[in-house]
Amino acid sequence: MSKQPTTVTTVAEGVARISWLPDVHVSGLGSAVDVVRREVEAALAAHVRVEALVDPADEAAQRVATWSGLRREGVMRGVTVEGEAVDRIVYARLRDDVPAHEPEGFRALLNSFLPRKRAISQMLVRDEDGRVLLCQLTYKQDWDLPGGVVEVGESPQLAVGRELEEELGLVLPAGDLLLTDWLPPWSGWDDALCLVFDGGVHPAAILDRVVAEPREIRSAAFCTLEEARERCADFTARRVESALRNLGGAPAYVESGSPVES
């Protein structure tokens, strides 16, 4: 007796898990999508969620999952399959998701699997002697410009102002964008974009108003470029120099702090 091409199993209350054999792909992507989509629709009649766990190495199965209307949710690590711990990509559709054939649903489907890049906003704050405000961080040895990660749905320009208020107790609106710095993957981090905004010139006494967030900030100080080179990671020091060079100019683009040759 041949196995069914698809299997739907209830794995929790209101949750079904669908899987399919490689044979489903034999007739082509369109045919496979039609089969899986029908099974997903049928399962949603009795469940609020239908999910699929797909091998990251199986590109064909990933395409079938996507075009069947299942949204990519992330990677589940260390799933036990046939006694072996493996990684699986989680795809799912909820009963109240907008269907993929409608514009909003299609956009949500694309949004679930298209690449996302982390954004970091920082502020270049100077004193009247041209020194740059730097922070000594609790979670790494290097000093850095004040700022932090942009939240989902948050404006980068507003994010850096929020970070300064949360971490230093300073209310400094961000001015013009000075620099876009692409950071390649490094030491466990994925790549990211760092946006440096102009924080203007302020009296050095502004440090008296600093209230450091103790979980993240050890101290803050205005530093010369030479001090920045001594205290910061090399790419951070390059970013500071590039931002200073670009004051009053159009926003520049650098990679790991260094200008890119055209």
Side-chain angles (χ1 to χ4, degrees):
M1 182 176 179
S2 61
K3 293 183 178 180
Q4 293 294 319
T6 61
T7 302
V8 177
T9 307
T10 299
V11 294
E13 184 176 354
V15 180
R17 183 170 298 162
I18 185 170
S19 60
W20 54 92
L21 297 175
D23 295 353
V24 171
H25 305 161
V26 171
S27 299
L29 176 63
S31 177
V33 167
D34 286 342
V35 170
V36 175
R37 182 190 290 132
R38 285 196 299 270
E39 293 293 340
V40 169
E41 293 286 354
L44 285 173
H47 302 82
V48 296
R49 171 185 171 90
V50 178
E51 64 184 27
L53 305 183
V54 179
D55 187 340
D58 192 342
E59 295 184 1
Q62 292 174 48
R63 288 194 293 271
V64 170
T66 297
W67 301 119
S68 298
L70 300 171
R71 301 181 190 179
R72 177 172 172 143
E73 295 185 337
V75 177
M76 186 182 296
R77 299 183 300 150
V79 181
T80 301
V81 177
E82 298 179 354
E84 182 181 0
V86 296
D87 294 346
R88 288 292 182 262
I89 303 174
V90 181
Y91 291 85
R93 180 177 166 191
L94 306 184
R95 183 186 294 167
D96 58 359
D97 282 344
V98 178
H101 65 265
E102 297 184 16
E104 181 182 345
F106 184 66
R107 290 192 294 268
L109 185 68
L110 293 178
N111 187 64
S112 75
F113 69 84
L114 288 174
R116 300 184 183 187
K117 197 176 297 291
R118 188 172 68 257
I120 301 165
S121 279
Q122 295 185 327
M123 192 180 288
L124 185 75
V125 179
R126 293 153 287 137
D127 70 2
E128 293 161 329
D129 294 325
R131 297 178 300 174
V132 174
L133 181 62
L134 294 175
C135 297
Q136 184 183 24
L137 306 176
T138 61
Y139 50 88
K140 63 179 181 179
Q141 294 182 342
D142 305 323
W143 290 54
D144 209 344
L145 289 168
V149 175
V150 181
E151 301 291 346
V152 175
E154 183 180 34
S155 153
Q157 191 171 34
L158 295 179
V160 70
R162 172 186 57 76
E163 287 284 346
L164 260 77
E165 186 170 3
E166 290 177 357
E167 296 185 353
L168 298 176
L170 296 177
V171 178
L172 299 177
D176 293 338
L177 176 66
L178 298 174
L179 197 69
T180 299
D181 187 9
W182 177 69
L183 307 178
W186 175 80
S187 189
W189 289 106
D190 289 336
D191 72 324
L193 287 176
C194 182
L195 307 176
V196 182
F197 292 89
D198 187 0
V201 177
H202 302 270
I206 196 175
L207 292 177
D208 297 336
R209 292 162 38 198
V210 167
V211 180
E213 163 52 59
R215 292 172 297 180
E216 298 192 45
I217 307 295
R218 287 197 179 96
S219 63
F222 281 106
C223 300
T224 65
L225 265 180
E226 187 58 38
E227 290 170 331
R229 295 186 188 106
E230 292 173 356
R231 299 180 183 188
C232 299
D234 55 356
F235 56 86
T236 301
R238 291 194 299 268
R239 183 184 311 141
V240 171
E241 292 183 61
S242 293
L244 285 170
R245 280 197 304 267
N246 206 51
L247 284 167
Y253 172 76
V254 297
E255 294 185 355
S256 197
S258 297
V260 180
E261 295 183 6
S262 55

